[in-house]
Amino acid sequence: MTSDITLFVNPAAGRGRGAHAAQPAARALRDAGFTVRTVLGHDAADALRRAREAVAAGTGALVAVGGDGMVSLALQAVAGTRTPLGVVAVGTGNDFARTLGLPVRDPGAAARLAARTIKGAGPRAIDLGRVTGGTRTRWYGTVLASGFDSRVNDRGNRMRVPAGRFKYDLAILAELAGFRPVPYRLTLDGDQVVEVDATLVAVGNGSSYGGGMRICAEARTDDGLLDVTVVGDCDRITLIKVFPRVYKGTHLSHPKVTTYRARSLTLEAPGTTGYADGEPLGPLPLTVECVPGALRVLAPGTSPSASPR
């Protein structure tokens, strides 16, 4: 592997933490003997173009500095290639880093771990979700959200304060005032059809979204399967009671919650948009498939956020 490392930086991540994090991350990588270059962009499209150019030129690794949005952009550049992805997580939610057991908001530690991984055991392969709908194809690493949670995501992304998971807590309370269950049609692995009125449907390659909400608590990134969590038709009081359990993943045992595992899934529901890794995908229908080993990642050998099966 070449000693050239590319830092892929979002200077606005975490209300400016991205810009400050790039320096200690670069210093740690240089201290480990790597040559470091930094990639910025005028906008997301320009940043992605530059990241893809670095991958095509043979960079030893692409290290995303920012939050889940930056990781999502980086995935579009490295998925399906031999170029490994490192993560310096300094954003708001940092769910991808949490899923993989990576340091959060400690750029020096994250960069040192990436360097040790390159020099030691090397990158490991994990699965990714691949979403198709309309004319777009997009990769994701954590959770695809649809229904109530996608409306919360939309509202949370518009909010500037507070930071972290509390922003999503407030967005949930705001959305509760007008929520209605949605009629879904799910087609799992091309033949199992489930029709259900649901509050939300989440499709997990990883376990959490929204800064630690473990909506797909038992999902693993190395089993070749998607974990599907369906929260059925429930009233506001039930939803409010169940919601705190999401942070520990104990909501999965509630009678209004049903789970499935599948290699692929088509989601259909009227007037409903999808989000993956916190980024908007567009309206349903969307088709999701798990692509085993689609990403090489600079991370420990196990993902502590997932429970054994």
Side-chain angles (χ1 to χ4, degrees), residues 102-120:
L102 297 173
V104 172
R105 296 180 185 170
D106 188 341
R112 288 190 292 273
L113 187 150
R116 289 197 303 272
T117 303
I118 293 171
K119 291 184 172 184

Side-chain angles (χ1 to χ4, degrees), residues 224-243:
L225 295 171
L226 301 165
D227 277 41
V228 184
T229 300
V230 179
V231 178
D233 181 356
C234 56
D235 57 36
R236 293 182 183 86
I237 299 301
T238 301
L239 196 56
I240 290 169
K241 288 180 178 179
V242 173
F243 167 69

Side-chain angles (χ1 to χ4, degrees), residues 21-261:
Q23 294 179 3
R27 184 165 54 249
L29 289 168
R30 290 190 179 106
D31 288 347
F34 294 97
T35 301
V36 180
R37 62 186 294 263
T38 301
V39 167
L40 299 168
H42 300 297
D43 54 28
D46 183 52
L48 178 56
R49 178 183 62 80
R50 293 170 185 257
R52 284 174 168 159
E53 287 175 351
V55 170
T59 187
L62 186 71
V63 178
V65 182
D68 286 325
M70 199 61 178
V71 171
S72 176
L73 202 60
L75 289 180
Q76 314 316 309
V78 299
T81 76
R82 296 291 297 168
T83 303
L85 176 69
V87 179
V88 175
V90 291
T92 300
N94 303 310
D95 287 287
F96 187 78
R98 295 175 200 276
T99 293
L100 296 178
L102 297 173
V104 172
R105 296 180 185 170
D106 188 341
R112 288 190 292 273
L113 187 150
R116 289 197 303 272
T117 303
I118 293 171
K119 291 184 172 184
R124 68 184 178 96
I126 66 169
D127 308 336
L128 290 178
R130 182 167 58 194
V131 187
T132 55
T135 59
R136 282 186 79 179
T137 298
R138 191 168 184 89
W139 298 91
Y140 76 95
T142 57
V143 176
L144 185 156
S146 72
F148 179 74
D149 49 0
S150 62
R151 293 196 296 272
V152 168
N153 212 331
D154 192 31
R155 181 180 289 270
N157 287 343
R158 295 196 303 266
M159 297 168 65
R160 294 293 175 261
V161 291
R165 82 182 206 188
F166 299 107
K167 176 168 68 173
Y168 293 94
D169 293 351
L170 289 179
I172 284 169
L173 293 175
E175 286 296 328
L176 275 171
F179 101 96
R180 296 287 185 278
V182 177
Y184 275 86
R185 179 183 173 91
L186 314 178
T187 305
L188 295 93
D189 290 331
D191 55 9
Q192 182 183 358
V193 176
V194 177
E195 294 185 343
V196 59
D197 287 345
T199 302
L200 65 87
V201 177
V203 186
N205 178 64
S207 58
S208 73
Y209 61 6
M213 291 190 283
R214 302 185 67 228
I215 188 68
C216 298
E218 296 183 348
R220 296 186 64 92
T221 58
D222 59 0
D223 64 355
L225 295 171
L226 301 165
D227 277 41
V228 184
T229 300
V230 179
V231 178
D233 181 356
C234 56
D235 57 36
R236 293 182 183 86
I237 299 301
T238 301
L239 196 56
I240 290 169
K241 288 180 178 179
V242 173
F243 167 69
R245 296 170 58 176
V246 175
Y247 286 104
K248 293 185 178 180
T250 57
H251 63 291
L252 297 182
S253 63
H254 193 277
K256 288 290 186 179
V257 177
T258 307
T259 60
Y260 303 91
R261 290 196 178 110

